[in-house]
Amino acid sequence: MGDSCGLSQPTMSRIIISFTESLVRRVNEFVYLPAGREKRKTIAEFAALGNFPNVLGVIDSTHVPIKTPSENEHLYINRNTFHSVNVQSVCVNYFVMDVVSKWPGSTHDSFIFRNSSLLQLFENSIITGGWLLGDSGYPSKPWLLTPLRNRVYPEECRYNNSHGITRCIVQRCIGILKSRFRCLH
């Protein structure tokens, strides 16, 4: 970017730091779970998608490749044997509403979630009246629903089918981000 604009690497580094700090100061304006009328609209849109009631958001993690770090290099090697940061996202209708991007690639999704502020918001009943949907890498909670493992009854199969159709929004959202911002791929 700096080369195309005729800027030196130190100048670009200062610009990136300034821009990032500006985004962090305003993050709560853009990254949040819906409330009020917006919450009811979100629940209705998720219900229309997969016939799954009371969904506030869908959660998943993805690995973002990084250059080999000089410190604790082994912690950044993920299960696919490349260096990455494991990034957890909560999506609502193709909007990223919560992100945790501080854990090395070897970190399990459930650990990231257990150490997130989002967990505290649900545990302390600050966010109520709906569910998050996650894959089997997440712990099942009263407000975080995961697929059923050993399905026997038709109702359980319908639950998993509806869960999968609804939860795929987060996978598509991550895919769109990775295709738009190739450095994430």
Side-chain angles (χ1 to χ4, degrees):
M1 180 88 165
D3 291 341
S4 66
C5 299
L7 299 173
S8 68
Q9 187 276 321
T11 299
M12 280 305 299
S13 292
R14 284 192 299 276
I15 290 169
I16 289 170
I17 290 169
S18 176
F19 177 74
T20 304
E21 288 172 348
S22 175
L23 283 177
V24 168
R25 280 193 302 274
R26 298 186 65 195
V27 71
N28 291 333
E29 293 176 42
F30 304 103
V31 180
Y32 61 91
L33 285 175
R37 181 180 298 152
E38 189 178 359
K39 179 178 177 179
R40 288 187 297 277
K41 181 181 176 209
T42 295
I43 287 171
E45 289 172 348
F46 274 123
L49 176 69
N51 202 27
F52 206 110
N54 296 323
V55 176
L56 296 176
V58 287
I59 187 169
D60 202 3
S61 293
T62 188
H63 290 275
V64 175
I66 59 170
K67 290 182 180 177
T68 304
S70 56
E71 293 182 26
N72 298 316
E73 180 259 345
H74 65 284
L75 295 176
Y76 290 86
I77 299 174
N78 65 31
R79 66 183 177 273
N80 298 320
T81 67
F82 64 89
H83 294 90
S84 69
V85 174
N86 195 356
V87 178
Q88 176 183 279
S89 301
V90 175
C91 295
V92 174
N93 300 334
Y94 298 103
F95 291 99
V96 176
M97 304 307 268
D98 185 70
V99 175
V100 178
S101 60
K102 65 181 181 178
W103 297 100
S106 66
T107 309
H108 194 274
D109 295 354
S110 62
F111 180 87
I112 295 171
F113 184 69
R114 279 194 314 272
N115 290 281
S116 71
S117 59
L118 186 63
L119 174 103
Q120 297 305 312
L121 293 173
F122 277 97
E123 290 282 324
N124 296 323
S125 299
I126 295 168
I127 298 176
T128 60
W131 298 302
L132 284 179
L133 300 185
D135 64 19
S136 58
Y138 289 93
S140 186
K141 300 271 189 186
W143 38 263
L144 174 57
L145 305 179
T146 59
L148 300 173
R149 292 183 193 261
N150 301 318
R151 299 170 310 279
V152 176
Y153 300 105
E155 295 83 6
E156 294 170 330
C157 292
R158 282 197 310 272
Y159 167 88
N160 272 11
N161 187 47
S162 183
H163 184 281
I165 290 169
T166 306
R167 202 185 69 75
C168 74
I169 290 288
V170 69
Q171 295 163 330
R172 286 191 212 140
C173 186
I174 290 168
I176 290 167
L177 282 171
K178 285 187 168 189
S179 66
R180 173 67 178 91
F181 301 100
R182 298 301 294 171
C183 62
L184 300 176
H185 201 273

